[in-house]
Amino acid sequence: MPVTPSPSTATPSPGPPSPGVLSPGVLSPGPSSAGPQSVDRALAVLDAVADADRPVGAKTLARRLGCALSTVYHVTGPLLARGYLVRTGEGYAPGPRVPALHRSHQRHHGLDAGTGALLGRLRRATGAEAYHTAYRDGLITVVDTTAPVTDTAHPFTPGPEVRAHATAHGKALLAALPRPLRRRYLADHGMARFTERTITSAERFEAEATRVRGQGFAVSVGEADLAYTCLAVALPERGDGIVHALSVSLPTADFGRRQGELRAALARAVPDFPALPES
């Protein structure tokens, strides 16, 4: 049974981490060696803090991740020391190292501040939230968005996209891939049903991909979230091995009367997507 440390002992122990009690599907136990398991736990703590809208206390982290409180103290020690977390009066918050990681991410993907500026212009032109998404090495990621980070009800947030088959940006990216890569992605990530409109058949998705390529854009009308509709276009190949897409989303009730306007705005934005930097 885990023992809760007193405030005077709430510092990382130099010894091995307490194994804690892991909740299924929340914090994977991983390999039996302590190293990979500790890394997994540290990343789970980072995710939990990043996803929260305010600082998170140690007891709350332990409860959310299904682990011992001593485990939280153990894994947050190195994260604090390296600047990935900071401790406030309310709990843990993202640290100063996090913005540097974002800048590194942008640099490695050949992006710059121009991408954010482009999304901002698209947002102002349409009144709809705008997104940049990308496919790379079997993963689809929402790279950036104009949606406020405090809008926890918004369905599309930066990070791994787990509903690609049900979103317009996912459809646009997957339709741009060779069929074997597309089928492999769907097999690896599954085709979960999110609403009654979600496509859950690989054969039906192939027909959808053909339609997307033919019309030059992708639409998801309430397939990932009934309240939202999104429209997306894949960007021309840039020679970096990454497939990029621009998209917008808005309430489904508003989509019908604005579809043509949104398509035109996306078409105008595509040529302004930043080019790869000169090598």
Side-chain angles (χ1 to χ4, degrees):
M1 178 175 180
V3 178
T4 302
S6 65
S8 63
T9 60
T11 55
S13 167
S18 169
V21 180
L22 306 182
S23 298
V26 175
L27 212 164
S28 171
S32 57
S33 60
Q37 190 178 49
S38 294
V39 170
D40 188 61
R41 286 171 170 167
L43 292 175
V45 167
L46 272 178
D47 284 340
V49 172
D51 290 342
D53 57 2
R54 59 184 302 129
V56 187
K59 289 183 179 180
T60 300
L61 284 172
R63 184 169 61 252
R64 289 182 183 176
L65 301 179
C67 66
L69 184 58
S70 56
T71 300
V72 171
Y73 288 126
H74 182 86
V75 299
T76 54
L79 295 174
L80 290 165
R82 291 177 176 266
Y84 292 101
L85 292 179
V86 292
R87 193 173 341 194
T88 73
E90 296 180 81
Y92 297 103
R97 177 65 180 152
V98 174
L101 286 178
H102 177 67
R103 291 193 294 271
S104 176
H105 170 79
Q106 297 289 89
R107 185 173 65 253
H108 281 279
H109 284 269
L111 306 173
D112 56 23
T115 309
L118 174 60
L119 294 181
R121 291 196 299 273
L122 189 55
R123 171 70 174 81
R124 290 189 293 273
T126 62
E129 301 298 354
Y131 312 85
H132 165 217
T133 53
Y135 168 93
R136 182 175 189 174
D137 297 331
L139 295 174
I140 289 177
T141 304
V142 178
V143 179
D144 201 2
T145 171
T146 59
V149 294
T150 54
D151 185 359
T152 56
H154 198 78
F156 310 119
T157 57
E161 176 57 90
V162 298
R163 302 176 295 178
H165 65 288
T167 67
H169 48 259
K171 290 181 183 181
L173 292 169
L174 291 171
L177 297 178
R179 178 185 169 99
L181 286 182
R182 181 168 54 253
R183 296 301 290 263
R184 185 183 308 164
Y185 180 93
L186 295 175
D188 289 346
H189 296 271
M191 302 184 72
R193 182 180 298 280
F194 300 108
T195 76
E196 63 267 23
R197 297 177 177 177
T198 308
I199 297 174
T200 58
S201 159
E203 289 70 25
R204 282 191 59 202
F205 196 89
E206 281 301 317
E208 181 73 359
T210 299
R211 179 163 46 253
V212 169
R213 290 191 297 271
Q215 62 191 15
F217 63 92
V219 179
S220 168
V221 182
E223 294 177 43
D225 184 313
L226 283 173
Y228 286 89
T229 286
C230 47
L231 189 147
V233 293
L235 296 163
E237 171 60 40
R238 306 194 314 163
D240 58 357
I242 310 172
V243 185
H244 300 265
L246 291 174
S247 61
V248 293
S249 75
L250 72 168
T252 297
D254 299 334
F255 177 69
R257 61 183 176 82
R258 301 195 58 203
Q259 180 175 354
E261 169 196 347
L262 297 172
R263 287 173 53 191
L266 279 172
R268 290 193 300 269
V270 167
D272 292 334
F273 190 77
L276 281 171
E278 295 293 332
S279 57

